[in-house]
C-alpha cells in the first residue's frame, strides 16, 4: 500500500497522549501502513509535532487542541480512537467526540473492548451520514483455529517480544526490530497480537484478547503459517500481548 492510497486519519487521544494510555496513538504516530495519520487531538498536550512530543523525532504530524481545528486543517476521512482504558470501555467524554465525528461523515475506527457498532445511537448516525464504524476486536471475535503443530514446519527464525505487563513497549520493540532487520537487508515480518498492530497495517496476526482462550495458541500459529506461506521471511518477530507468553 502506497502513501497515496492511504485514507487521511486523525487520532483522538484527549487527555492521554502524554500518558501510557495513549499507546494506540503512539503506535500510529511511529508507524502505520494502513492510514495516513494527519493529526492528533489532545487539548491537554502542547502544540507542535506529535512525534517530537513522543520520542523527539519529527514525523510531520501536528497536534491539535480540538476536533474542529484538526478537521478544518487536515480534512480527514477517518477518526481513530487513540486511547485505551481500564476494561476497554469508551473513555469519559469520548462519546461526544464520536458523535461529532459521525455527524461530519467521518468513518470511525476503535480498538476498544466496547463495540461502538453495537451502540444504537452511533449506528443510526453512521447510517444517516453514510459512514462506517470499525471495531477492530470484533473482526477477530469469531476466529476459531486450534493449534495443530504445523508451526514446526516454518523455517523462519522466530523471536518473541515478551513482557509481564501492558504498555511497556512490546509492540514498539517488535516494530523496531523488523525495521532494523530490513534496513540491514534481511527479510522480516511481524506477527501482531493486538488492535494497534492491525491498525498499523501488519498483514499477519490476530487480536489475542478478542479470541476465546481455546483458540489463542492456534490463532498465533495460523498467523505464523500465513506469514511463512506469503513471505518466507528469514525472521518472524512475534509481538507479546499483556503478560501472555
Amino acid at each position: 500500500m502506497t502513501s497515496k492510497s492511504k485514507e487521511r486519519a486523525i487520532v483522538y487521544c484527549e487527555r492521554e497522549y502524554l500518558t501510557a494510555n495513549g499507546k494506540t496513538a503512539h503506535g500510529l504516530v511511529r508507524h502505520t501502513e494502513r492510514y495516513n495519520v494527519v493529526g492528533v487531538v489532545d487539548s491537554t498536550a502542547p502544540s507542535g509535532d506529535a512525534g517530537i512530543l513522543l520520542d523527539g523525532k519529527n514525523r510531520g504530524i501536528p497536534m491539535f487542541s480540538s476536533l474542529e481545528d484538526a478537521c478544518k486543517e487536515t480534512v480527514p476521512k477517518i477518526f481513530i480512537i487513540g486511547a485505551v482504558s481500564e476494561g476497554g470501555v469508551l473513555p469519559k467524554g469520548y462519546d461526544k467526540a464520536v458523535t461529532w465525528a459521525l455527524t461530519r461523515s467521518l468513518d470511525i475506527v476503535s480498538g476498544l473492548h466496547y463495540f461502538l457498532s453495537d451502540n444504537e445511537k452511533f449506528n443510526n448516525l453512521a447510517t444517516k451520514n453514510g459512514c462506517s464504524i470499525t471495531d477492530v476486536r470484533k473482526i477477530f471475535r469469531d476466529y476459531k483455529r486450534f493449534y495443530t503443530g504445523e508451526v514446526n514446519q516454518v523455517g523462519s527464525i522466530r523471536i518473541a517480544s515478551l513482557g509481564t505487563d501492558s504498555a511497556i513497549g512490546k509492540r514498539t520493540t517488535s516494530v523496531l526490530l523488523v525495521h532494523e532487520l530490513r534496513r540491514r537487508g534481511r527479510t522480516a515480518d511481524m506477527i501482531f497480537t493486538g488492535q494497534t498492530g492491525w491498525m498499523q497495517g501488519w498483514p499477519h496476526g490476530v487480536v489475542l484478547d478478542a479470541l476465546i482462550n481455546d483458540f489463542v495458541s492456534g490463532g498465533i500459529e495460523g498467523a505464523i503459517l500465513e506469514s511463512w506461506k506469503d513471505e518466507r521471511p528469514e525472521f518472524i518477530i512475534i509481538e507479546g500481548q499483556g503478560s501472555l507468553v
Side-chain angles (χ1 to χ4, degrees), residues 46-234:
S47 60
D49 184 84
I52 290 178
L53 286 178
L54 178 61
D55 57 17
K57 296 181 180 179
N58 192 320
R59 292 180 172 84
I61 301 174
M63 296 293 303
F64 293 96
S65 61
S66 71
L67 280 170
E68 291 85 351
D69 289 344
C71 288
K72 181 179 179 180
E73 292 193 30
T74 67
V75 193
K77 171 60 178 170
I78 296 172
F79 169 102
I80 302 173
I81 293 180
V84 300
S85 65
E86 186 173 352
V89 299
L90 189 64
K92 183 178 180 180
Y94 278 46
D95 56 330
K96 295 180 180 178
V98 172
T99 298
W100 189 95
L102 288 170
T103 58
R104 286 154 181 83
S105 300
L106 297 184
D107 294 332
I108 307 295
V109 177
S110 170
L112 299 171
H113 284 291
Y114 172 74
F115 294 151
L116 303 184
S117 58
D118 288 346
N119 181 296
E120 184 177 0
K121 174 186 174 182
F122 294 156
N123 254 326
N124 289 340
L125 282 172
T127 300
K128 178 181 178 181
N129 293 287
C131 46
S132 65
I133 300 174
T134 299
D135 288 301
V136 176
R137 280 186 165 100
K138 205 174 199 180
I139 297 170
F140 297 89
R141 181 179 58 179
D142 297 323
Y143 183 83
K144 297 177 181 178
R145 182 189 186 280
F146 285 114
Y147 179 82
T148 65
E150 294 173 82
V151 70
N152 293 319
Q153 302 170 13
V154 173
S156 304
I157 297 171
R158 282 161 277 161
I159 301 172
S161 298
L162 305 178
T164 57
D165 204 349
S166 59
I168 59 173
K170 298 180 296 296
R171 184 196 64 252
T172 300
T173 298
S174 299
V175 172
L176 291 174
L177 278 172
V178 171
H179 287 173
E180 180 61 20
L181 285 165
R182 290 176 176 176
R183 188 188 70 81
R184 297 187 183 198
R186 316 300 284 269
T187 57
D189 188 23
M190 187 183 98
I191 304 300
F192 71 83
T193 57
Q195 67 278 6
T196 306
W198 182 92
M199 293 181 192
Q200 289 180 323
W202 296 100
H204 305 110
V206 289
V207 179
L208 284 188
D209 61 12
L211 304 183
I212 297 172
N213 284 344
D214 290 1
F215 305 108
V216 166
S217 58
I220 294 179
E221 180 186 49
I224 293 172
L225 289 170
E226 289 175 2
S227 174
W228 176 246
K229 176 183 176 182
D230 294 343
E231 301 186 23
R232 289 292 198 272
E234 184 180 358

